[in-house]
Amino acid sequence: VEVNSKVSSIIVYGTCYGTTKRYADELARRTGIKAVSYDQVQSLAEYDVIIHLGGLYAGGVWGLTHTVKLMQDEGKQKLIIGTVGLADPTNSENVENIRKSIRRQVPSGLYEQAQIFHLRGGIDYGKLNLKHRAMMSLLYAKVKRTPVEEQSDEVKAMIATYNQVVDFVDFASLDEIVAVIA
Ligand SMILES: Cc1cc2nc3c(=O)[nH]c(=O)nc-3n(C[C@H](O)[C@H](O)[C@H](O)COP(=O)(O)O)c2cc1C
């Protein structure tokens, strides 16, 4: 008889416009693990497994710094990271860029043992706040000056979708995360 052997897990999410929350709520529904916005989380001490889902903003994963700060140093807790971004995660160059930025946000010991997944989000330019609209407008102006043959796939996609509404959310991409939790 196993007593006290139950692994306790939590889904922490960081979202600005709700895309990541859609993934977090679906993952919660499929696993029975509760999903909480990172800014509602004061302590993670009681959890063995922390699943952080966060939107990508200029490389950084929304809320991840907060989650990492609340984790213990001893490496007893398991960290699973799911990024939600506009860039196509089947493109290896995009994935390399995302991982580089996660490495800047997560201490190396934790990074080495973390499991990382990439989900695709969406954007509705009409809903962006002033700061984000300005950031995207500056980025667009900059990348537009890049000769087409020098543009990465990520940049090409950004130019193609600028000022539009796009939604690449695909719940089937959660299967991989469900598989490592179960
Ligand atoms: C200012 C800004 C910066 C962004 N930077 C990135 C990025 O570096 N990489 C990426 O893949 N997507 C980027 N995106 C797209 C978001 O990650 C995407 O819209 C995501 O679905 C947002 O998730 P949320 O709705 O949960 O906040 C950016 C969006 C904005 C507005």
Side-chain angles (χ1 to χ4, degrees):
V1 181
E2 292 187 19
V3 180
N4 287 334
S5 65
K6 200 171 170 297
V7 173
S8 71
S9 311
I10 185 171
I11 299 162
V12 181
Y13 63 85
T15 185
C16 287
Y17 301 100
T19 319
T20 306
K21 186 179 188 303
R22 282 162 63 198
Y23 277 117
D25 287 344
E26 175 64 10
L27 188 62
R29 192 188 67 76
R30 287 177 59 179
T31 59
I33 300 168
K34 72 171 171 182
V36 187
S37 175
Y38 81 95
D39 53 358
Q40 302 298 308
V41 177
Q42 273 102 47
S43 169
L44 290 170
E46 66 185 281
Y47 299 103
D48 306 303
V49 179
I50 292 120
I51 303 136
H52 184 98
L53 303 185
L56 286 170
Y57 284 89
V61 182
W62 203 254
L64 183 60
T65 304
H66 180 262
T67 289
V68 162
K69 259 189 211 147
L70 293 178
M71 288 183 67
Q72 287 147 359
D73 305 321
E74 305 96 277
K76 282 184 200 133
Q77 293 172 305
K78 182 173 164 179
L79 177 63
I80 297 168
I81 300 169
T83 66
V84 179
L86 212 49
D88 180 1
T90 62
N91 177 299
S92 59
E93 191 189 337
N94 291 344
V95 170
E96 250 172 65
N97 287 334
I98 297 169
R99 298 215 172 201
K100 249 183 244 163
S101 60
I102 295 176
R103 213 175 287 220
R104 283 195 291 269
Q105 259 182 310
V106 178
S108 57
L110 196 52
Y111 179 88
E112 298 306 330
Q113 64 96 53
Q115 284 175 288
I116 305 174
F117 299 89
H118 307 287
L119 309 165
R120 206 163 183 201
I123 198 164
D124 180 347
Y125 278 84
K127 292 209 173 97
L128 295 185
N129 67 32
L130 222 58
K131 184 187 164 189
H132 285 162
R133 204 174 311 166
M135 283 170 75
M136 293 312 271
S137 155
L138 283 171
L139 182 64
Y140 181 70
K142 188 182 162 200
V143 298
K144 274 291 271 185
R145 290 195 298 267
T146 311
V148 180
E149 59 276 11
E150 284 170 34
Q151 289 171 2
S152 65
D153 287 352
E154 187 179 3
V155 161
K156 285 196 188 101
M158 195 256 165
I159 292 171
T161 57
Y162 185 67
N163 263 341
Q164 296 174 33
V165 182
V166 282
D167 185 356
F168 298 115
V169 171
D170 175 14
F171 286 156
S173 59
L174 285 169
D175 289 353
E176 298 180 294
I177 302 182
V178 173
V180 299
I181 296 170

